[in-house]
Amino acid sequence: MIAKVRKAVFPAAGLGTRFLPATKAQPKEMLPVVDKPLIQYGVEEAMQSGVQNIIIVTGRGKSAIEDHFDVSFELEHLLETRHKRDLLATVRAISDMIDVSYVRQKEALGLGHAVLRAKELVGHEPFAVILSDDIIDGDTPCLRQLLDIYEFYNAPVVALMEVPRDSISSYGVVDAEPISHNGGKDRLYRIRNMVEKPKASEAPSNLAIIGRYVLTPEVFTSLDAVEPGSGGEIQLTDGLKHVLRSRPIYGYRFEGKRYDAGDKLGFLQATVEFALKRHDLGEAFRAYLKNLPL
Ligand code: G1P
């Protein structure tokens, strides 16, 4: 029997320095793309993938995230008295949506350290990790695609994407061998090695790890064992490399479009493309864009 993935960990304790000054007093995860905070895109992806329990690793100054997923009595009351039924449903859907728990990461010591903070809440079962900076738009939610591989191979899986050489040093990069799956040989890989943020000249491939993972609990033991790596931080990539010594890890080149919403340009691209797809905004926004003297 392959254990079902029930929990998704959302590291959300970073300082958001790439988005200053907007993130000085507001968590990066709460920046809205159109009208929905970044983290809600990730939470909805988890729900649509069948993962109901959300664990958010927060830090100082992140209480807006907790408030966002909590019930807002005053707001609901106001919307009710003003007969704003649609808005009320939208607001209620957020707090009804999830079973959420929080754990604090007192110091921003790296992604691996953040994931390790969720160890007690995860317990001894497989789990997902979602980095909400990476918004992935696709017909099948990216996490669901990874879960299908996990359920087939009973092994950890990371999301992969080909990236241009000149940006490869911003990512965890894999050395991986393509393997056949479902009659195709161009999406699934067995990972041989991985390295966090290599120099372009030293990168083992152009396949970058994107912020979706399905992990098994031995990663916690590995994260306990690894030394600080790139940037002096405990890296999740290093923890996974340690796991590789004892079991295979797969990589899946997911179907869908990924936006790096933690980066200003990526954030703007996501905003424009999501706005264009909206039924209530798309048409007017498209007309506006067409009239810009570009
Ligand atoms: C993190 C991971 C990196 C991964 C990236 C994907 O880096 O450490 O391995 O490739 O997310 O977005 P960060 O972007 O937090 O520096």
Side-chain angles (χ1 to χ4, degrees):
M1 255 297 270
I2 297 175
K4 188 173 166 10
V5 174
R6 303 183 303 146
K7 300 176 181 176
V9 174
F10 285 72
L15 298 175
T17 45
R18 285 196 287 172
F19 248 106
L20 282 168
T23 47
K24 186 177 169 210
Q26 178 196 204
K28 167 180 74 173
E29 294 76 13
M30 290 302 294
L31 294 173
V33 167
V34 188
D35 54 6
K36 209 155 62 177
L38 288 185
I39 192 163
Q40 195 177 331
Y41 286 89
V43 167
E44 287 178 2
E45 183 184 321
M47 312 296 293
Q48 285 156 10
S49 303
V51 178
Q52 308 282 345
N53 296 324
I54 305 297
I55 298 167
I56 303 182
V57 184
T58 64
R60 238 163 42 82
K62 301 280 186 168
S63 52
I65 299 176
E66 298 183 27
D67 291 342
H68 182 70
F69 291 112
D70 200 355
V71 177
S72 173
F73 292 107
E74 303 87 333
L75 181 61
E76 289 191 12
H77 180 71
L78 184 88
L79 294 172
E80 230 168 69
T81 49
R82 294 196 180 161
H83 305 292
K84 304 259 186 205
R85 290 223 174 76
D86 288 357
L87 280 180
L88 183 63
T90 308
V91 164
R92 280 209 177 126
I94 301 164
S95 50
D96 286 351
M97 194 157 57
I98 53 168
D99 171 4
V100 62
S101 6
Y102 298 92
V103 60
R104 292 282 270 212
Q105 183 189 20
K106 289 190 190 131
E107 289 172 280
L109 297 179
L111 178 59
H113 182 258
V115 171
L116 192 51
R117 296 294 298 127
K119 179 179 173 180
E120 301 303 322
L121 287 173
V122 168
H124 202 76
E125 55 181 279
F127 64 103
V129 173
I130 292 189
L131 308 186
S132 50
D133 274 9
D134 287 323
I135 298 188
I136 301 172
D137 190 26
D139 293 340
T140 305
C142 180
L143 180 60
R144 186 62 253 165
Q145 298 177 41
L146 300 195
L147 287 167
D148 289 343
I149 301 297
Y150 160 79
E151 284 164 10
F152 195 88
Y153 291 92
N154 194 16
V157 192
V158 302
L160 295 178
M161 185 178 120
E162 287 177 339
V163 301
R165 280 275 162 191
D166 59 0
S167 58
I168 197 85
S169 59
S170 306
Y171 296 93
V173 184
V174 299
D175 173 17
E177 173 194 354
I179 57 173
S180 306
H181 178 73
N182 261 348
K185 209 184 174 186
D186 65 335
R187 294 214 171 260
L188 187 63
Y189 296 80
R190 183 158 167 174
I191 294 177
R192 286 188 283 244
N193 196 4
M194 49 180 93
V195 44
E196 179 68 11
K197 305 203 169 76
K199 286 188 193 145
S201 57
E202 287 164 16
S205 74
N206 64 344
L207 281 172
I209 302 173
I210 299 302
R212 302 291 183 275
Y213 308 75
V214 177
L215 303 177
T216 47
E218 59 266 58
V219 73
F220 294 125
T221 317
S222 292
L223 286 170
D224 259 331
V226 297
E227 298 289 328
S230 169
E233 298 184 333
I234 303 287
Q235 296 294 349
L236 182 56
T237 305
D238 294 339
L240 292 176
K241 187 173 162 174
H242 190 274
V243 171
L244 265 182
R245 295 184 197 171
S246 56
R247 67 181 299 172
I249 298 180
Y250 293 88
Y252 190 69
R253 208 168 52 72
F254 59 91
E255 286 177 71
K257 182 158 184 187
R258 173 254 186 180
Y259 301 87
D260 179 4
D263 167 76
K264 287 172 195 169
L265 183 60
F267 181 87
L268 289 170
Q269 289 164 345
T271 303
V272 169
E273 293 192 35
F274 279 81
L276 285 172
K277 279 194 189 180
R278 285 273 294 250
H279 298 302
D280 55 343
L281 284 171
E283 206 180 319
F285 190 48
R286 181 169 286 101
Y288 164 76
L289 290 177
K290 274 191 178 153
N291 276 322
L292 286 179
L294 296 175

